[in-house]
Amino acid sequence: MSTGLMPTGVMPTGLSASAKIVIVGAGHGGFQLAASLRQNGFDGGIALIGDEPHLPYQRPPLSKDYLDGKIGLDLLLMRPATFFDEHRVELLNGVAVGEIDRAGKAVVLSDGRRLAYDHLVLATGARNRVPPLPGIELDGVCYLRNLAETETLKERLAACEHAVVIGAGFIGLEFAAIARGKGKPVHIVELTERVMGRVVCPETSA
């Protein structure tokens, strides 16, 4: 798998060899930063913090082959567990950052541990945009952003009789395609005039 990294052996500018870098967020951005630092010659400390219990994994396949049951978690992983040991990346998964002490240059984790840093990187990614609709909190309203939500959606999709998707972007349309492939009736609700309006031209939307 190509990582898109820069040539090896080029020490990142502005970093001392003994610096400690803490990366908050173990998604694609956080993982890629840790891997790129090592590949480009950084020899200091790297800690990668993720609030999910899994190894860093790719999110795009969640709404496609993983949701459809065509691939397992092993094919989602960015790298196996040995990668982090071999590249001296301290992976702290299953914990969140509850506080940033900027004056003390440390983060406080949800389990009470305190982790010092020289450089702090926030790579927490995006969250679902939850519309302020009556009933949005009711059972049966699902999201598709991370592995746990995808597992829940996969179980519900098998039993559901009808699906409504809010949002005609890539993820919404990919889910709709999977649901239709399983014979489920689907309605898609989109605020704007066309599907994928932010990323494709009107002809492609049509």
Side-chain angles (χ1 to χ4, degrees):
M1 179 175 63
S2 173
T3 62
L5 300 181
M6 296 171 57
T8 58
V10 181
M11 178 67 178
T13 58
L15 295 178
S16 69
S18 60
K20 174 67 177 289
I21 298 178
V22 170
I23 305 169
V24 181
H28 198 123
F31 166 80
Q32 189 65 66
L33 173 59
S36 296
L37 284 167
R38 283 290 182 249
Q39 187 157 351
N40 287 284
F42 177 65
D43 197 44
I46 301 175
L48 182 61
I49 305 171
D51 60 0
E52 295 184 67
H54 318 283
L55 293 171
Y57 61 90
Q58 305 171 69
R59 293 180 187 268
L62 290 178
S63 56
K64 297 188 279 289
D65 286 350
Y66 188 81
L67 179 62
D68 203 22
K70 294 180 179 178
I71 64 172
L73 178 59
D74 57 325
L75 293 182
L76 288 184
L77 299 179
M78 298 285 193
R79 291 290 190 278
T82 54
F83 173 90
F84 300 92
D85 293 332
E86 292 170 357
H87 291 80
R88 294 181 295 111
V89 175
E90 182 185 5
L91 180 62
L92 298 96
N93 48 6
V95 293
V97 172
E99 178 185 346
I100 299 175
D101 179 1
R102 296 184 65 183
K105 301 194 77 170
V107 295
V108 180
L109 305 182
S110 55
D111 61 7
R113 284 180 290 173
R114 184 179 178 89
L115 199 61
Y117 64 81
D118 295 299
H119 301 277
L120 177 64
V121 178
L122 301 182
T124 51
R127 296 188 181 278
N128 294 318
R129 180 183 178 187
V130 181
L133 300 174
I136 197 70
E137 75 289 347
L138 295 177
D139 182 55
V141 178
C142 301
Y143 303 93
L144 205 173
R145 190 186 67 89
N146 59 34
L147 189 60
E149 290 170 350
T150 307
E151 292 289 358
T152 298
L153 194 56
K154 189 186 298 186
E155 294 176 4
R156 287 183 174 268
L157 182 58
C160 85
E161 297 180 0
H162 193 105
V164 176
V165 179
I166 299 179
F170 279 114
I171 295 176
L173 295 180
E174 286 164 355
F175 167 79
I178 297 294
R180 286 298 300 128
K182 296 183 181 301
K184 309 294 183 178
V186 181
H187 277 81
I188 301 174
V189 182
E190 169 56 39
L191 180 64
T192 62
E193 296 179 353
R194 56 190 179 92
V195 303
M196 296 190 292
R198 295 181 180 180
V199 293
V200 302
C201 65
E203 291 77 12
T204 302
S205 289

